[in-house]
Amino acid sequence: MKSRSSLRSLKRQPGSIVVRRRGRAFVINKRSPHLNTRQS
């Protein structure tokens, strides 16, 4: 899981959900898990 400076391009991918947990933004994608990311 890599950190990204911008999650905007990732949240446009099919199946992506942006979730905020513990002060961080996560992109969770169950269709293609290699798109899972964390932004601090």
Side-chain angles (χ1 to χ4, degrees):
M1 183 160 65
K2 291 206 170 183
S3 297
R4 278 267 182 126
S5 56
S6 175
L7 299 181
R8 187 175 294 167
S9 62
L10 287 170
K11 75 179 184 186
R12 290 198 198 113
Q13 302 290 332
S16 286
I17 307 164
V18 179
V19 182
R20 298 203 59 115
R21 291 182 190 157
R22 295 180 225 105
R24 293 185 173 155
F26 293 86
V27 173
I28 299 167
N29 195 323
K30 290 190 175 174
R31 277 194 219 172
S32 48
H34 72 276
L35 294 175
N36 288 343
T37 32
R38 178 188 74 226
Q39 186 183 45
S40 56

